[in-house]
Amino acid sequence: MAPERPMKTYFADFHIHVGRAKDRPVKIAAGNNLTLTNLLEHSQKVKGLDIVGVIDGVCDPVLAELDELVAAGELAELPEGGLLYRDRLLVIAGAEVELKGPKGRAAHFGCWFPNLAAAHDFNAWLKTVQKNTSLSSQLARTSSFALSQETHERGGLLVIHHAFTPFKGILGAAVDRVSDFIDLGAIDALELGLSADTSMADRIEQIQPFTYLSNSDAHGLDTIARECNRVRLDHVSFAEVRRLLARQDGREIVENIGLHPVHGKYYQTRCRRCGEIAGDGRVCSCGTDRNVVTGVSDRIDALADFDEPQHPEWRPPYRHIVPLLDIPGVGPKAYRSLVDAFGSELALLREHVAKQDVQQVVGAALGERVFQTLQGHVSFAVGGAGTYGKVLV
């Protein structure tokens, strides 16, 4: 009997937006340089990703560009699902769909598809429930049951997006329990989102059985892979990703990787008008309540079943990182030098990096700062109300 082939580890970011396609806007808040081709090239060559989810892949102009890349031989559809870009990068086409919950507040869901035929078919269904399928993250006038059914009937996967964010997060504001919005059995995974990590999420009993994902929700090239996952698979394909989310046959997330929660822009309850902490979470000292944004930390405190996290034994560790460009002193030139020297930004996380090697690239002082940050020796001014926390030196 032949020995089993050892599985490999890969870096995956399953939630990346497209700013523009076919000379048309797709994600309004995203940068115009976040085109499909730039996304694929930057993810692979600069960030060092092995798997990407193009979450606007079902939007009309992006779907058309995916078709063109297949016709040109740049993308190849795999027998087990997924698209392979230039024989190296697994691409999963998806849709971010907005639904209104029972209290009238909306939440975002990710629908991922195994092939372009399924993506086209889902796009055709979306046209019956959305006003504009050319744009990302549009409201679908349908039920969570229908969204789940339409996704799974096409062999797709359904993921809760940025679960705790105050805008469009299912637990951020829409409902107090996921089951108040959607059948728990319909969900294939839950994305934590900015300003949350595993220790925060595992204080809530109902969501503990879910596989947690840490994805960038990138709206620009620089923010790709700011949150990602190191995963163990036999090979790259949509079928392997399905096994990953189900934690089957040794497929697993080795570690979730992302910003420290306080570095995120929604961690603390703050006033958007004056920036001050809103003491009671409702009214700011400046006299307004309309501009107070409830922080993820306070929201999880309100929802928590446990004072301390209760991790399932299979839950992977969460590694907090600071993206290189967020480290004070690392500008475009130093960033490019580090990427060229080590091969990619994520290569600095994949293996042990010696301090002297970093210093040789960017100098003694900046190299020391970068190395210490990579080791987790860093503190932050806390973020909130849409303003990111600041890295302190």
Side-chain angles (χ1 to χ4, degrees), residues 10-12 14 212-215 228-231 253 255-256:
Y10 303 92
F11 282 113
F14 295 107
Y212 293 160
L213 297 173
S214 41
N215 300 318
C228 60
N229 312 271
R230 190 158 65 93
V231 304
I253 295 178
E255 61 181 353
N256 295 110

Side-chain angles (χ1 to χ4, degrees), residues 127-273:
K127 290 183 185 302
T128 69
V129 295
Q130 285 183 340
K131 287 186 176 181
N132 189 349
T133 54
S134 294
L135 294 177
S136 171
S137 315
Q138 296 299 289
L139 176 66
R141 290 166 176 79
T142 189
S143 67
S144 61
F145 173 80
L147 182 68
S148 168
Q149 185 177 48
E150 297 291 341
T151 300
H152 290 131
E153 282 182 351
R154 293 167 174 83
L157 295 164
L158 186 65
V159 177
I160 291 173
H161 274 183
H162 44 75
F164 302 105
T165 55
F167 304 107
K168 317 300 185 183
I170 191 170
L171 292 176
V175 290
D176 292 341
R177 293 171 61 82
V178 171
S179 57
D180 293 338
F181 199 121
I182 189 169
D183 179 8
L184 297 180
I187 299 301
D188 294 297
L190 179 145
E191 179 187 279
L192 297 168
L194 293 175
S195 302
D197 64 9
T198 300
S199 291
M200 297 169 72
D202 271 342
R203 293 176 58 203
I204 300 174
E205 185 173 19
Q206 189 182 56
I207 65 174
Q208 284 178 321
F210 291 140
T211 296
Y212 293 160
L213 297 173
S214 41
N215 300 318
S216 68
D217 191 5
H219 287 45
L221 292 173
D222 289 342
T223 53
I224 292 172
R226 63 180 172 182
E227 303 213 337
C228 60
N229 312 271
R230 190 158 65 93
V231 304
R232 183 173 287 118
L233 305 172
D234 181 72
H235 56 278
V236 292
S237 72
F238 189 87
E240 282 289 285
V241 171
R242 184 188 300 281
R243 296 182 190 109
L244 171 74
L245 299 192
R247 306 187 297 277
Q248 290 179 343
D249 303 324
R251 280 70 174 172
E252 62 178 348
I253 295 178
V254 178
E255 61 181 353
N256 295 110
I257 300 168
L259 304 186
H260 195 289
V262 301
H263 191 183
K265 61 182 179 179
Y266 297 121
Y267 183 78
Q268 196 168 52
T269 300
R270 287 184 177 271
C271 175
R272 279 188 291 184
R273 186 167 76 178

Side-chain angles (χ1 to χ4, degrees), residues 20-67:
R20 198 169 185 86
K22 307 297 286 185
D23 293 323
R24 298 160 64 183
V26 177
K27 184 71 174 178
I28 301 299
N32 287 335
N33 68 337
L34 189 54
T35 63
L36 178 61
T37 300
N38 286 348
L39 182 163
L40 300 177
E41 287 289 300
H42 199 79
S43 294
Q44 177 180 293
K45 294 181 178 179
V46 178
K47 294 296 183 174
L49 287 165
D50 305 294
I51 304 170
V52 294
V54 179
I55 205 58
D56 298 327
V58 176
C59 293
D60 299 349
V62 184
L63 197 49
E65 289 192 355
L66 288 170
D67 287 335

Side-chain angles (χ1 to χ4, degrees), residues 359-370:
Q359 289 178 316
Q360 188 173 5
V361 176
V362 293
L366 182 56
E368 174 74 22
R369 183 180 300 168
V370 170

Side-chain angles (χ1 to χ4, degrees), residues 297-330:
S297 177
D298 289 330
R299 179 62 176 162
I300 289 178
D301 282 345
L303 299 178
D305 300 292
F306 313 113
D307 292 333
E308 298 295 329
Q310 305 294 314
H311 301 303
E313 61 180 12
W314 47 263
R315 182 78 71 211
Y318 195 108
R319 189 201 301 203
H320 298 119
I321 63 167
V322 176
L324 288 180
L325 284 170
D326 286 352
I327 301 173
V330 177

